[in-house]
Amino acid sequence: MTTLGRNRRISMARQWTVMAFCCLLSSPVLAAAKDSLPADQPADFTADEMTYDKELGVVTARGKVEVTHGPRLLRADTISYNQKTDIVSASGNVSILEPSGEVMFAEYVDITGDLKEGVVRDFRMVLKDGARVAAAGGRRMDGGEKMEMHKAVYSPCDLCPTDPTRPPLWQVKAVKVIHDRAEQRIEYRDAWVEMAGIPVAYTPYLHHPDPTAKAKSGLLAPSFGGSSSLGATVRLPYYFAIDRNADATVTPIYTSKEGPILAGEFRSRPNLARIDGTASITQDSKDDVRGHVAAKGQFDIDRTWRWGFDANRSTDDTYLRRYKFGAGETQATTAYIEGFRQRNYFTASAHSFQNVRADVRDGTVPLVMPLVEYNHVGQPDRYGGRTSLDMSFLSLSRKDGTDTRHLSGIGGWQLPYTASNGSVYTLATNLQADAYHINKLQPDPTLPAYTGASARLHPEASLEWRHPFVRREGNASIHQLIEPAVQVVGSPNTSDNNRRLPNEDSPLFEFDDTNLFTMNRFPGLDRIERGARVNYGMKWGVFGEKGGNTLVRVGQSFRPREDTSFSENSGLEGNLSDVVASVAVQPNQHLNLLYRTRLDKEDFAPKRNEVRATVGVPALTASASYLFYDQIVGTEFPVREQVVVGLTSQITRFWRASASAQYDIHDENTQRVGLGAVYEDECFSFTVQAHREFFYDRDLRPSDAVMFTLNFKTLGDFRTGFTHSGQ
């Protein structure tokens, strides 16, 4: 027997013995790295003692044995290689550190010299994400492609720091676990889930992709629920990994009161493109075929151009809400092409809408095809001025109502200037040109409908002055700002906007402090402000160095001549507008308050009030919002007054709860109430949500719903719930 010294560095091309030790780092559980490493890569080998028995052909290293091969590290009390049987053995506190972050522990490992087959006893492993795997024993077989473990346990949960012997929050136990590297799959035989050491679910067979698989087809976790309208429901989703860029989920849904539903999702990410789609179909108890489709795609043509679509359709008005696939007052379908280049933007699109509202006739829903828009912003000139150009063409048609063809162009120029005393001036000019062809326009039902062409040319100019005054308070930790502002706008007093021009894009707008100083407060192109007007206001703010601030805005508008374009109660009818104001207060992260209002110019009665407040600490946070709109004459929008309140509480590190309610003050009815609780830690989350909606719409009735969601992190979700609809 020959004894060798300590700390030897040997070429793996010449020393098979050391190569066997080093390649053991791939472990019988993880993928062998022998083929991916250069054959002549050297290894660092250290041991207190190394012996070679010529008669038995056994090389043995003892005492703090460490073998480093590239990024892998193997440690053991004893490592031996039998040249006759071609078996490598490691025993005593065996640990293997993988370059991917996994760490394996074992008491004994036997593996063949070609690293393809072997056995391991008392196996434990910590994965990269912190999850733990343990097994009484394991065997590597089929040329190294499969690893079979017996009496295995898996859990991503942290162990109790005071008592590591206690069971984790949840774990999966199985009589046998097989890891198939070729199929990228992990199989469980006779497996059950334990919660705090108590078995709660059993399955004779379960499989899922291993961590090396980006996507793998298979059955997902089922979900269970029910409602008074659909009865008991069961969802059995199946996932299809189509290729590296596309996948799909097909979900058969069983309902006890209605027919079965087939739902599906599709996702694709080919080069320079993105496609997503959902669809469903069913035959209900009345033998009516119902369903929906929603698809969205975006495709890059080159660095400048891209095109896309967004399609949404359902067979009837209430299908989406009844079958819980979403809700909306309209289903819009859009196709578009757009281009971006430097300071230019171009888009051409087509839009169709499916009405799902009971109070709107389908024939009045428009078809927009095409809508073409072009925008350009120029470079600043030598004086700082900047030009702009906006062009658009709209073709809008209806089966029952007004058809419109509209060509519009707006050219503008803006020049900012800051005087030596701190005053800021902004000079702006616009010229808007419009050409219309209208069919069957009848804004006044007492007058005959108008069909023909109309044109409009509207120049506009404004000069705005602002002067910010800033003062430091006390030790300069607080800054105070006072900024008065005045804007003078001039434009011709052209004929009435409403007589021979449609109003497709500006039927309603909100006059508030955010648009007080805009030249045209209508949101679209069909309506314009006419005549001279003066806008004036004041901004006052206090700002702290630690982020706290208070900001107050107030203002009003005056015009020497009334503009009949504005509806009664819009806030801009008459010579003097209503007063608009807002107050935003946020002294710290525990209080956030916003108040926005519009006050009648005569008696300062509120025409619009909006209050939003959030106050509290994570242990208990309260939020509330109040909204009031007075009715604007000539529009379909009624008086609206409602309040929404909510409470959230981070009860403990892992538990949080919430409650909310929405009440319609004007109609004196509760619209929605809800409760929720969430438990979440590093490996598990549990959510329970309950709500009642007081909503009537044809075959939809007020409903109560309770939903439970259990998320076993790294494994998936389990959902169940029930919905009850009133009569």
Side-chain angles (χ1 to χ4, degrees):
M1 180 177 292
T2 304
T3 301
L4 305 179
R6 179 184 172 92
N7 297 335
R8 290 292 185 95
R9 183 176 178 84
I10 307 172
S11 170
M12 289 190 66
R14 301 194 310 266
Q15 297 292 333
W16 166 252
T17 334
V18 178
M19 184 183 74
F21 293 155
C22 296
C23 289
L24 181 61
L25 298 174
S26 60
S27 90
V29 178
L30 304 175
K34 174 176 177 286
D35 297 333
S36 62
L37 294 171
D40 59 350
Q41 180 173 340
D44 288 331
F45 177 86
T46 63
D48 290 339
E49 178 182 321
M50 185 172 180
T51 62
Y52 176 58
D53 191 321
K54 292 183 180 181
E55 295 181 1
L56 299 177
V58 176
V59 180
T60 304
R62 296 185 179 88
K64 299 179 181 178
V65 184
E66 289 189 5
V67 183
T68 304
H69 183 214
R72 288 179 172 84
L73 173 64
L74 166 66
R75 290 175 177 169
D77 292 340
T78 303
I79 296 179
S80 64
Y81 172 63
N82 191 316
Q83 294 175 320
K84 295 181 179 180
T85 61
D86 194 26
I87 297 295
V88 178
S89 301
S91 60
N93 299 312
V94 180
S95 64
I96 302 171
L97 175 63
E98 285 287 321
S100 56
E102 290 90 352
V103 182
M104 189 197 84
F105 304 93
E107 282 302 315
Y108 183 80
V109 174
D110 261 354
I111 191 169
T112 58
D114 59 5
L115 308 178
K116 292 184 176 181
E117 297 188 0
V119 296
V120 59
R121 289 204 305 263
D122 195 9
F123 163 76
R124 303 177 306 282
M125 183 167 61
V126 179
L127 303 180
K128 184 179 180 180
D129 59 2
R132 295 169 175 83
V133 180
R139 181 167 61 95
R140 189 172 182 178
M141 53 190 180
D142 291 354
E145 293 299 320
K146 286 186 178 181
M147 177 65 188
E148 182 180 288
M149 291 170 279
H150 300 278
K151 297 182 180 180
V153 180
Y154 165 82
S155 177
C157 302
D158 292 340
L159 298 177
C160 177
T162 57
D163 185 7
T165 62
R166 290 177 55 186
L169 180 62
W170 71 267
Q171 60 187 357
V172 178
K173 287 185 176 181
V175 174
K176 181 186 295 186
V177 177
I178 301 174
H179 180 195
D180 192 323
R181 292 182 54 223
E183 295 293 331
Q184 296 180 308
R185 181 174 63 189
I186 300 177
E187 300 178 5
Y188 299 83
R189 307 287 177 87
D190 290 325
W192 60 95
V193 178
E194 290 186 355
M195 298 290 296
I198 302 174
V200 295
Y202 168 81
T203 177
Y205 179 79
L206 173 68
H207 78 267
H208 61 78
D210 72 8
T212 65
K214 293 184 178 180
K216 201 74 173 174
S217 299
L219 189 68
L220 303 180
S223 62
F224 307 90
S227 68
S228 58
S229 59
L230 300 179
T233 60
V234 180
R235 296 171 179 258
L236 297 172
Y238 190 91
Y239 176 79
F240 290 93
I242 300 172
D243 57 38
R244 60 181 300 178
N245 296 319
D247 60 16
T249 305
V250 177
T251 307
I253 306 173
Y254 168 79
T255 66
S256 61
K257 290 187 177 181
E258 297 289 346
I261 308 165
L262 183 62
E265 299 178 59
F266 175 77
R267 298 159 291 269
S268 180
R269 299 294 183 270
N271 291 335
L272 305 177
R274 177 189 181 103
I275 305 172
D276 296 285
T278 62
S280 66
I281 188 170
T282 185
Q283 186 173 19
D284 64 14
S285 57
K286 299 179 180 179
D287 291 332
D288 293 331
V289 176
R290 309 178 72 178
H292 89 287
V293 61
K296 182 182 294 185
Q298 183 174 288
F299 308 87
D300 293 341
I301 301 173
D302 53 32
R303 295 176 62 88
T304 300
W305 295 96
R306 70 184 182 189
W307 72 277
F309 66 89
D310 188 355
N312 299 274
R313 280 293 184 270
S314 59
T315 54
D316 55 86
D317 296 352
T318 60
Y319 173 79
L320 293 175
R321 286 171 289 174
R322 180 178 174 84
Y323 287 85
K324 308 303 180 185
F325 288 112
E329 293 189 350
T330 58
Q331 296 292 308
T333 296
T334 301
Y336 65 90
I337 183 171
E338 59 184 354
F340 308 81
R341 179 170 293 176
Q342 296 178 348
R343 298 175 178 270
N344 303 280
Y345 172 72
F346 172 87
T347 180
S349 58
H351 308 262
S352 70
F353 305 91
Q354 179 189 8
N355 172 52
V356 295
R357 293 175 55 183
D359 57 345
V360 175
R361 291 182 291 116
D362 291 342
T364 63
V365 177
L367 171 66
V368 179
M369 188 170 61
L371 172 60
V372 181
E373 296 176 293
Y374 170 75
N375 309 104
H376 168 77
V377 178
Q379 292 275 10
D381 57 29
R382 59 185 298 185
Y383 302 107
R386 192 188 299 271
T387 60
S388 63
L389 176 64
D390 299 312
M391 300 286 295
S392 69
F393 173 73
L394 168 71
S395 177
L396 184 149
S397 58
R398 294 180 174 89
K399 292 181 179 180
D400 183 13
T402 304
D403 299 334
T404 302
R405 310 292 181 268
H406 181 196
L407 177 64
S408 176
I410 304 176
W413 178 73
Q414 188 178 83
L415 176 66
Y417 172 73
T418 303
S420 58
N421 65 351
S423 294
V424 180
Y425 299 88
T426 303
L427 175 65
T429 60
N430 282 338
L431 178 63
Q432 179 173 341
D434 299 280
Y436 286 88
H437 184 273
I438 306 106
N439 183 38
K440 296 187 295 186
L441 174 64
Q442 194 174 17
D444 188 342
T446 63
L447 299 176
Y450 170 74
T451 297
S454 301
R456 177 177 63 191
L457 188 66
H458 184 75
E460 200 169 31
S462 72
L463 178 63
E464 180 180 311
W465 168 84
R466 296 177 181 269
H467 193 108
F469 297 92
V470 180
R471 183 176 67 179
R472 297 182 178 180
E473 300 286 347
N475 59 0
S477 62
I478 299 177
H479 295 74
Q480 185 177 173
L481 168 70
I482 300 176
E483 183 184 73
V486 179
Q487 182 189 45
V488 180
V489 184
S491 62
N493 285 302
T494 56
S495 59
D496 194 340
N497 277 308
N498 303 324
R499 193 161 293 174
R500 290 191 175 182
L501 298 179
N503 185 9
E504 302 288 359
D505 56 14
S506 303
L508 181 67
F509 73 97
E510 298 177 19
F511 174 49
D512 56 30
D513 61 294
T514 63
N515 58 18
L516 173 64
F517 291 97
T518 56
M519 294 176 67
N520 183 15
R521 280 174 278 250
F522 287 104
L525 300 173
D526 290 336
R527 291 292 178 264
I528 55 176
E529 288 196 58
R530 302 172 298 158
R533 59 261 190 203
V534 179
N535 307 316
Y536 47 89
M538 178 76 73
K539 179 168 66 176
W540 174 77
V542 178
F543 306 89
E545 287 188 350
K546 295 183 178 180
N549 63 83
T550 298
L551 189 62
V552 179
R553 290 188 175 96
V554 62
Q556 196 176 31
S557 181
F558 168 78
R559 62 181 72 244
R561 180 178 176 179
E562 293 185 16
D563 187 350
T564 56
S565 302
F566 296 104
S567 302
E568 183 181 347
N569 210 22
S570 65
L572 287 167
E573 73 277 9
N575 300 97
L576 197 64
S577 78
D578 289 343
V579 176
V580 292
S582 69
V583 179
V585 179
Q586 190 175 6
N588 52 54
Q589 61 180 341
H590 305 304
L591 175 63
N592 193 334
L593 173 67
L594 172 65
Y595 173 64
R596 181 171 283 123
T597 187
R598 176 165 63 87
L599 305 175
D600 186 271
K601 55 182 173 291
E602 301 291 342
D603 57 5
F604 296 103
K607 297 293 187 66
R608 177 184 187 272
N609 275 330
E610 179 184 356
V611 180
R612 297 179 184 177
T614 303
V615 58
V617 295
L620 183 62
T621 301
S623 63
S625 66
Y626 168 79
L627 189 63
F628 167 73
Y629 289 99
D630 205 354
Q631 183 177 17
I632 298 179
V633 178
T635 70
E636 62 182 69
F637 298 94
V639 176
R640 183 181 179 188
E641 187 175 13
Q642 69 178 30
V643 61
V644 180
V645 295
L647 288 173
T648 60
S649 175
Q650 188 73 42
I651 302 172
T652 67
R653 176 185 172 187
F654 302 115
W655 280 98
R656 62 181 185 270
S658 63
S660 63
Q662 181 174 322
Y663 182 76
D664 191 317
I665 300 175
H666 182 262
D667 293 336
E668 297 183 348
N669 64 69
T670 303
Q671 295 179 326
R672 190 180 190 277
V673 294
L675 296 171
V678 178
Y679 172 88
E680 184 174 15
D681 59 25
E682 79 286 348
C683 66
F684 175 77
S685 67
F686 168 75
T687 303
V688 56
Q689 293 178 321
H691 68 264
R692 176 167 176 82
E693 293 182 347
F694 302 82
F695 183 77
Y696 289 88
D697 185 6
R698 289 157 285 187
D699 61 341
L700 297 177
R701 296 292 183 267
S703 63
D704 301 301
V706 179
M707 178 62 67
F708 300 92
T709 303
L710 289 80
N711 174 256
F712 296 89
K713 295 183 180 179
T714 72
L715 287 186
D717 294 343
F718 176 82
R719 294 184 177 90
T720 185
F722 181 80
T723 301
H724 177 268
S725 298
Q727 302 299 321

